[in-house]
Each structure stands twice: as C-alpha cells, then as structure tokens.
Amino acid sequence: MALTGKNKERAQRAGMGLGVALVLGWCLLPVVWIVSLSFKSQAAVTNGSPGFLPADGGGAGFDNYRQVLQDGDFLLAIRNSAVVSLSATILSVAIATLAAYAIARLEFKGKKFVLTTALVIAMFPVVSLVGPLFDMWRTVGLYDTWYGLIIPYISFTLPLAIWTLSAFFREIPWEMEQAAQVDGATAWQAFRKVIVPLAAPGVFTAAILTFFFAWNDFVFGISLTSTENARPIPAALSFFVGADPFNRPASLLAAGAVVATVPIVVLVLFFQRKIVAGLTAGAVKG
Amino acid sequence: MSTATKPPTAPKPAKKARPPKAVESQRSRAETNLARKLVAPAIVLMLLVTAFPMLRALYLSLFSYSLTAPDDREFVGLSNYVTALSDKLFWQDTGNTVLIMLVTVFFELVIGFAFALVMHRLIFARGVVRTSILIPYGVITVVSGFAWQFAFSNNNGFVNGWLPFIGDDFNWFAQYDSSMIAIMASEIWKTTPFMSLLLLAGLAQISEDMIEAAKVDGATWFQRLFKVILPNMRGAIMVAVLFRALDAYRIFDNIFVMTAGANGTESISFLTYRQVVEQFQLGIGSALSVLLFLSVLVVAFVIVKVFRVNLADARQES
C-alpha cells in the first residue's frame, strides 16, 4: 500500500528487467564460456587458468580454430553430420507430411494406432535399440555407413514431425481448396496455389526440428559407427583427445564445439518464431 | 503392412440394406484406403526400426550370447534377467537414473515456470529473450556436457572461483556427490528452456478474465498462482513433466562426456551401452534393453497416474 501507482510501475519494470537479465544470463553464460575457452591458448589452459575471459588464460586469437579446421577427421565428421542429418530430415519430413495430411484431413480407421505408435516411439529409450541395431547392421553391412544412421534417424524423428505437422495441418482451412476449384482452378492448381503456401511454414518448422534432433544425436552416432567413414560430429568430439590422452586439449575441443554448434545456433536465430510455434504446437495441442 | 492393405470386408453386407448410407460408406472406404496408403511408409519405417529390433532384443535376451564368441551362443532362458536384477550395479545405476530424473525435472519445473512467467508478462525485448531461450535447446548435448565439465574443472574452470564457499582446488569429479551435481547442472541448464516454452504455451491458454476476477476478489499473488493459474495449467504441466521425465530417464550423453561413469555415476542407459558396444555381451545387453524399456513404461504410467490423482484431489477441494 505504501507504493504509489508510479512507484509500483517502476518496481514492476525493475523486477521485469531483473527477470530478463536472469533468463539471458542462464541461456548465454555457458555459451559465452565455451566461446571464451576456445580463444584461450592451450598452454595456459593446461597449466591451469580458472579465469572466465580469454584474457585471464592468455589469448590465442583464432589459433585453435585454425587448427581444428585443418584437422581432417573433424572435417569428415562435419561432412558426415551434414549429409546424414540433411538426408534424414528430407526423407522424414516427406514421409511425415503424407501421414500428417491423412491424419489431419481424412477420416480413417487406424488413425489412433498411428498416433499412439508415434507417441510410444517418441518415448522410447534410444539405448535399448542400440544392441539389436548394432547386431543387425553388422549382419546386413549397414554398420559404420551413412545409411546405418539415416534409417534410425528417420524413424526416430518421424513422431515429432508427424505430431508437429498434423497440429499445423489441422489449422489449415481446407475449404479454400474447393473454393478455388469452384472459381475455376484445376485440382492441381488449387492444391499448389492455395494449400502448398499455407502448409509450407509447418513443413519447414518440422524440418528444422528434425534437423535439430539428427544433428544432436549421440547414442546412435557413437554406437553404430566405428571410423571417420560415418561418425557424426558429436561422437567425433567425444573421441577427440589430441596429442596427450591424459590431458584433453580443452581449448581446442571448445573451438571444435563452437564450430559444430554454429549451424544450429544460426538456424535458431533465423527461425526463432517458427521453432517456438512448432515445439509448442506438437506438444500442447497434440 | 497388413493393416495398410487389408480391405474392410466385414461391415459391407450390413450396410448394404440402406442405399444412401452405402454411398457414404463407399466414399469413406475410399478415404480409408487413401489414408492407409499415405500413412503406410511412416508406420512401416517406425515399426521396422523399433518394434522389430525390440522383438529381436527380447529373443536375444534369452541367450548367452557374446559377439566375441558367437559360436558359443546358448539358450539360457531367463538367467540373463536374473543376473541383471541380482547385480548391485544394476540397482545402483537405476537409482542414479531415478535420482537424476527426479532432481532435474523438479528444478526444471520450478525454474522453467519462473522463466515462463517472465516471458509471459514481458513487454520489452521479447524477440531477444525468445531467441536466447532456444539457444540451450539448440546446443548439442555433448557440447553442453563439455562446456559444463570444463566449467566445473578445478584446472581451467570458473565455477570454483565464482562459488565463495568452495575452495579453488576442489575437484568436482573426484567423488560421487559432486560429480552428480555437475551432471545434473548440465542437464538442467540444457532442458529448462524447453520446459519453460511448454509452460509458456500453457500459461497463454489461461483466460486473463479469470485472473482479473480473482484479483478483484482480493486474492493475493500467491493465491492467484496456486488457486487459479496452476490448477488451470495441469494439462500443460503434465505434458511437460512426462516429456522431460522420460527424456531424463534415458540420460546418456552428459554422463558419457563428463564422467564416463566414474565414481558410480553411471546411468542405466550407460550400463546397457557398455554391455553391448564395449563388451559385446549381446545376451545380457538385450536383457538390459528390455528392462530399460519396461522401466520407461513404468515411469510413464506412474506420472500419468500421479497427475490423475492430483486432478481428483483438486476437484474435491473446490
């Protein structure tokens, strides 16, 4: 009661500012930290430098980055991750689009079965498939190949893609397609000019989320590959020991981690709105 | 496959009695056929990569089967399960996994809800906050594991220097308790934003009128939070808790990177991985896979049950 209207508003604003600062600090601190680490010199880091900023640890400029980008295995891992994640994303979203269209627009028996299967798979503990897949892939020759990763990635991203897409497709006013046909458009024209532009944002969102999953995966990446032939970047980073196996080159590893994270963070920055919509639509409305 | 192509034969004769309905059912049958064709690839792939391997795991779990000596494969019945369930390590790892799940989901729920409240009421810097909140979600788990491992390191980290009550040379990864804290910290950091986004969506669905009405009736902020906002968000909270708990239960990446299971910090996923990929023990590994799958089902069941009970309680109260 002691607060007058103006003071109360000011206090609220200050509280809000504090809240925002906390959220931003939470989200960015470890990111700033690993970037900072990547600019420290390796010698300073091994000798012990508890400081936060590169200045405390002896700045190394872009040396670590130069070294990482000259590392053949690292570049191969980036290539593997890119090929595998992109292929899985394209295929998964294509297959999910068909299924989600059927779920959102058609009435059919077995709809519940599809959605339940997807939900169960989304909850599935990934590791419990590693054993059987490890064994099967070795028998059929998919072990340590791109396909050996693409197939499980598609299967495991399908639930997310199906749920997100069917939530999006349910919002599309499908009558507009008929309206266009009444106005003289052919069925194909009506589909292409009306429905595709309306569905594209949803498909795109599902693609980004799928790509996230595939790029982030570690369990399959580490269990179903054994060489740089197919090993994706998270697995490669975890095996990265440098010259001295007892002293992991922290700053070098940090540079590698930053390089591996940049594509994802760029995606986040560009498509923030879509990602939020997709994450919450799939989970809450589904 | 069979569900996708099986023609619906049984209901046909019954519906032929009334001609207008027969036309309708023909159309719906065509729709069902089209739908099944569209859904088939997704279902086939999902079942092929999960259901089939899982059945194979069930089968292999009945054998003593090591990849290093594949010719010695031998049917042993349930003895792999007996071995696993009577091993102290199995229960220790399950305990770790449950502990990690309970602690991380609790903190994620509390902090995530606080973040959601901030974002919900935000008037300025909306875009910046919403973009930043997605960054932990986007960072590869392995990378966040490294970031936190180095942060907690007594050699080149900053945590010891920033925490006043902890000595600069304290080694977080030398014993169980502090190793677990470090692992959980990285897990909580990474997934709290996801939780807060789900809760934010739940918050957005609560009508402002209801909150205003409570305000007019003289309800304090806490009363509004516990009597109006939280009961109305139960659905969103349940979804968020269920998703996160199941995700936390299969924790692997963080532990692999940060401690590699040292000092008894192994999770049940890690144990399974180790048996299969490092030791080539496919028999016992398959038994562990089946147990892991069953325990995830139990966790899901418990969460759904717990929230139902709460719902009933809430109804009795009001």
Side-chain angles (χ1 to χ4, degrees), chain A residues 181-259:
Chain A
Q181 281 182 18
V182 171
D183 288 348
T186 65
W188 172 243
Q189 277 176 330
F191 178 74
R192 210 179 59 89
K193 294 254 164 88
V194 179
I195 296 304
V196 170
L198 284 173
V203 174
F204 193 70
T205 304
I208 294 174
L209 294 177
T210 303
F211 185 78
F212 263 34
F213 177 97
W215 191 270
N216 189 23
D217 163 76
F218 183 61
V219 175
F220 289 134
I222 201 168
S223 330
L224 302 178
T225 66
S226 58
T227 64
E228 64 277 10
N229 279 338
R231 186 177 285 151
I233 188 70
L237 281 176
S238 81
F239 284 123
F240 192 80
V241 281
D244 176 5
F246 295 102
N247 246 321
R248 261 211 275 225
S251 56
L252 207 56
L253 198 60
V258 171
V259 173

Side-chain angles (χ1 to χ4, degrees), chain B residues 17-59:
Chain B
R18 281 177 224 149
K21 271 213 168 164
V23 175
E24 249 181 48
S25 91
Q26 235 172 29
R27 189 183 295 156
S28 80
R29 210 175 303 138
E31 211 166 73
T32 297
N33 271 340
L34 173 65
R36 284 184 176 166
K37 269 179 210 145
L38 293 174
V39 164
I43 283 289
V44 168
L45 237 162
M46 286 194 285
L47 293 183
L48 210 67
V49 180
T50 47
F52 176 66
M54 205 60 221
L55 289 176
R56 202 174 143 72
L58 201 58
Y59 169 75

Side-chain angles (χ1 to χ4, degrees), chain A residues 26 33 49-50 124 135 216 264, chain B residues 56 138 141 147 155-157 189 250:
Chain A
W26 176 279
W33 157 246
S49 63
F124 213 88
D135 192 31
N216 189 23
I264 293 287
Chain B
R56 202 174 143 72
T141 316
N155 192 32
N156 43 45
W189 173 75
R250 44 190 182 198

Side-chain angles (χ1 to χ4, degrees), chain B residues 107-120:
Chain B
F107 278 102
E108 285 163 18
L109 197 57
V110 173
I111 302 170
F113 191 72
F115 283 8
L117 283 177
V118 169
M119 286 194 286
H120 189 56

Side-chain angles (χ1 to χ4, degrees), chain B residues 19 40 139:
Chain B
V139 168

Side-chain angles (χ1 to χ4, degrees), chain B residues 150-275:
Chain B
F150 293 140
F152 277 104
S153 151
N154 59 351
N155 192 32
N156 43 45
F158 64 88
V159 171
N160 284 352
W162 285 16
L163 291 179
F165 46 89
I166 281 178
D168 275 354
D169 55 354
F170 179 71
N171 185 351
W172 287 82
F173 300 105
Q175 57 277 313
Y176 174 79
D177 301 9
S178 51
S179 301
M180 287 293 273
I181 291 175
I183 290 168
M184 290 193 259
S186 75
E187 176 78 1
I188 294 170
W189 173 75
K190 168 110 171 80
T191 47
T192 296
F194 176 70
M195 186 74 118
S196 72
L197 283 174
L198 292 184
L199 295 175
L200 180 64
L203 264 181
Q205 286 171 344
I206 297 178
S207 87
E208 283 293 319
D209 298 350
M210 214 155 49
I211 299 170
E212 276 306 311
K215 220 180 202 170
V216 172
D217 288 346
T220 63
W221 185 82
F222 270 101
Q223 284 172 333
R224 294 200 301 268
L225 181 65
F226 284 101
K227 300 272 172 178
V228 182
I229 298 177
L230 288 179
N232 279 297
M233 283 180 66
R234 200 148 260 152
I237 294 175
M238 189 195 119
V239 170
V241 167
L242 187 66
F243 273 43
R244 278 303 315 142
L246 294 178
D247 219 24
Y249 200 86
R250 44 190 182 198
I251 184 167
F252 179 79
D253 309 16
N254 287 328
I255 296 178
F256 189 99
V257 168
M258 294 178 80
T259 67
N263 306 316
T265 55
E266 202 172 63
S267 71
I268 194 75
S269 279
F270 200 104
L271 177 66
T272 311
Y273 163 85
R274 223 157 40 80
Q275 289 302 316

